[in-house]
Amino acid sequence: MPQPNSVKCLVVDDEPRLRRVLVRLLEGEGFTCSEAGSGVEALEMLHHEQVPLVISDLRMPQMDGVGLLREIIAKWPDTAVIVVTAVAEVESAVACLQLGALDYVAKPFHLDEVRARVMQALDKRRLKLELEDYRHNLERRVQEQARRIEELSLERLQALVHFLEEKDPYTRGHSVRVANYSTRIAREMGLPQSVVEVITLGAELHDIGKIGVSEQVLHKAGKLSEPEYRHIMEHPVIGARILAPLMRDVPAALAIVRSHHERLDGRGFPDGLASDQIPLEVRVVTIADSFDAMTSVRPYRPALSVQKALQELEEGKDTQFHAPAVEAFLAAFPDATALPVSTPEIQPLHLPALSPDTTRASSPSD
Ligand SMILES: [Fe+2]
């Protein structure tokens, strides 16, 4: 039998004499009791202070015990309710059990019986709470494990991207630099941390679809033919397809992978999205990606000077690039002599915590 110590209990009965009997009994067992003369009064008291145990008569004026029980179950489902009934009301008592009361006592009651029922009800309540707690923890742990497995898969893909880039001196360090530029632009724009994290994630994996592009084409020294260019430009779609199962909860990061070659004027790849159709997260990464590509040597051209690349960004405002993100880039890197940045160290990828503002692509007004 549990020691209730100072467990709080509310006794509800319109007959003060019966209330007193119950209160005396319970206080004798160490409970701290409060009393209400009606269902309405009981609800008012519960609104001010919740209690683990309510013992309520069934027949009362205004709101009867059944009405009170319904309200308690709806509002405070963790409260244990015992109803007190007349022998003739056993059917009502059974209905109360079906509604969620933990037990009932029939009048005239024996004090030992009430004592035993109260202890049983508190035991049931404790077990129910422990079970809920266990379920909740289990669900959380399963979710954490599932997320960790997804992160491990992402880390493998990240390693693959870097391996692919390392093989090619022209693209070495590209993704990690793009992630670095993108993160700093996003911070400069004052975007929430959750959005910054999505941008970092999407930026680092943006070119993952190049896994599906022929290496011969990818590393071709010289200008690409039209079909070769079209083949290379399939990489955003391939990348989105690879990552879709792992990024169900981060559609904005997936949008970065699919749409990082879109342009504001609608002349980009692969969907020809224009202006507002391109999520803000994508617009940020597009600038970082373009700047890093321009300032890197390519098989078919030397690297552009930083000055020239910055000029390209300026000139591409509102046709290719989102002007506020270009401004943020310039503000984040005010010293052009410090550009291009050196390649940062690779950090393990993390999926951002789930929340409404990380699980959708932002509209441009965000
Ligand atoms: Fe790309």
Side-chain angles (χ1 to χ4, degrees):
M1 195 175 280
Q3 254 325 104
N5 297 324
S6 59
V7 172
K8 287 183 179 162
C9 172
L10 175 61
V11 178
V12 194
D13 200 314
D14 56 325
E15 282 184 52
R17 194 182 53 81
L18 270 177
R19 274 203 318 263
R20 287 313 306 163
V21 171
L22 285 170
V23 166
R24 263 205 300 275
L25 165 76
L26 292 163
E27 283 180 345
E29 295 296 320
F31 284 84
T32 305
C33 293
S34 42
E35 298 175 43
S38 70
V40 174
E41 194 187 342
L43 280 182
E44 255 180 47
M45 292 171 77
L46 287 170
H47 270 293
H48 285 110
E49 188 187 13
Q50 292 170 44
V51 293
L53 177 68
V54 173
I55 301 183
S56 171
D57 191 17
L58 265 189
R59 271 204 198 162
M60 291 180 292
Q62 288 179 300
M63 178 185 285
D64 67 2
V66 177
L68 175 62
L69 174 66
R70 282 186 205 277
E71 291 281 333
I72 292 176
I73 298 293
K75 290 187 176 126
W76 304 285
D78 293 342
T79 300
V81 181
I82 296 178
V83 289
V84 181
T85 69
V87 174
E89 295 171 330
V90 170
E91 271 181 32
S92 308
V94 172
C96 285
L97 293 182
Q98 283 165 347
L99 281 174
L102 286 190
D103 213 337
Y104 72 92
V105 228
K107 286 189 273 193
F109 45 73
H110 197 279
L111 291 183
D112 284 340
E113 186 196 349
V114 177
R115 190 180 291 121
R117 303 265 175 175
V118 163
M119 293 311 178
Q120 269 179 16
L122 284 177
D123 257 355
K124 278 189 207 165
R125 174 181 180 271
R126 181 179 52 79
L127 289 173
K128 184 176 153 250
L129 291 179
E130 279 175 6
L131 187 66
E132 274 168 14
D133 198 41
Y134 176 76
R135 270 202 201 119
H136 179 74
N137 280 335
L138 195 65
E139 270 169 28
R140 188 178 48 77
R141 283 183 59 192
V142 167
Q143 267 181 4
E144 277 173 7
Q145 289 301 323
R147 215 159 169 74
R148 187 64 201 127
I149 290 167
E150 286 179 353
E151 280 186 344
L152 284 172
S153 306
L154 280 181
E155 282 172 23
R156 300 246 159 80
L157 289 174
Q158 179 190 28
L160 203 59
V161 168
H162 295 301
F163 174 71
L164 210 71
E165 289 181 354
E166 282 300 304
K167 277 174 55 179
D168 178 356
Y170 300 110
T171 57
R172 194 164 290 157
H174 171 65
S175 292
V176 75
R177 283 194 304 274
V178 170
N180 182 266
Y181 286 130
S182 302
T183 307
R184 294 188 52 187
I185 296 170
R187 287 204 187 118
E188 187 65 38
M189 291 173 82
L191 299 177
Q193 178 58 22
S194 54
V195 177
V196 175
E197 285 173 21
V198 169
I199 287 175
T200 309
L201 176 68
E204 188 148 348
L205 294 171
H206 75 282
D207 266 347
I208 195 162
K210 286 189 176 167
I211 293 168
V213 173
S214 147
E215 286 201 21
Q216 223 181 339
V217 178
L218 212 52
H219 303 150
K220 181 178 173 182
K223 209 166 169 26
L224 298 171
S225 68
E226 184 57 31
E228 286 169 339
Y229 180 70
R230 275 206 306 275
H231 176 53
I232 278 209
M233 290 316 274
E234 284 171 21
H235 76 271
V237 173
I238 298 170
R241 207 180 301 141
I242 292 170
L243 290 174
L246 295 170
M247 290 194 173
R248 281 185 303 267
D249 299 330
V250 228
L254 206 55
I256 290 171
V257 177
R258 184 176 175 100
S259 305
H260 68 274
H261 285 290
E262 298 288 358
R263 299 168 48 110
L264 287 188
D265 58 12
R267 292 173 51 225
F269 290 91
D271 302 306
L273 301 180
S275 51
D276 287 3
Q277 296 171 314
I278 305 171
L280 184 61
E281 292 89 336
V282 176
R283 299 165 180 217
V284 168
V285 177
T286 301
I287 287 160
D289 185 28
S290 302
F291 181 81
D292 191 70
M294 287 191 280
T295 51
S296 303
V297 182
R298 284 291 186 258
Y300 47 90
R301 60 148 174 80
L304 262 57
S305 70
V306 167
Q307 224 48 49
K308 179 69 184 147
L310 292 176
Q311 192 188 330
E312 292 278 332
L313 291 185
E314 277 286 349
E315 287 172 6
K317 274 184 185 172
D318 296 325
T319 51
Q320 187 173 358
F321 304 121
H322 183 51
V326 173
E327 294 302 332
F329 181 95
L330 298 174
F333 299 97
D335 178 10
T337 60
L339 287 170
V341 292
S342 50
T343 306
E345 264 191 43
I346 299 165
Q347 302 293 331
L349 286 179
H350 289 293
L351 285 168
L354 288 178
S355 72
D357 59 348
T358 61
T359 53
R360 66 180 174 85
S362 308
S363 68
S365 54
D366 283 344

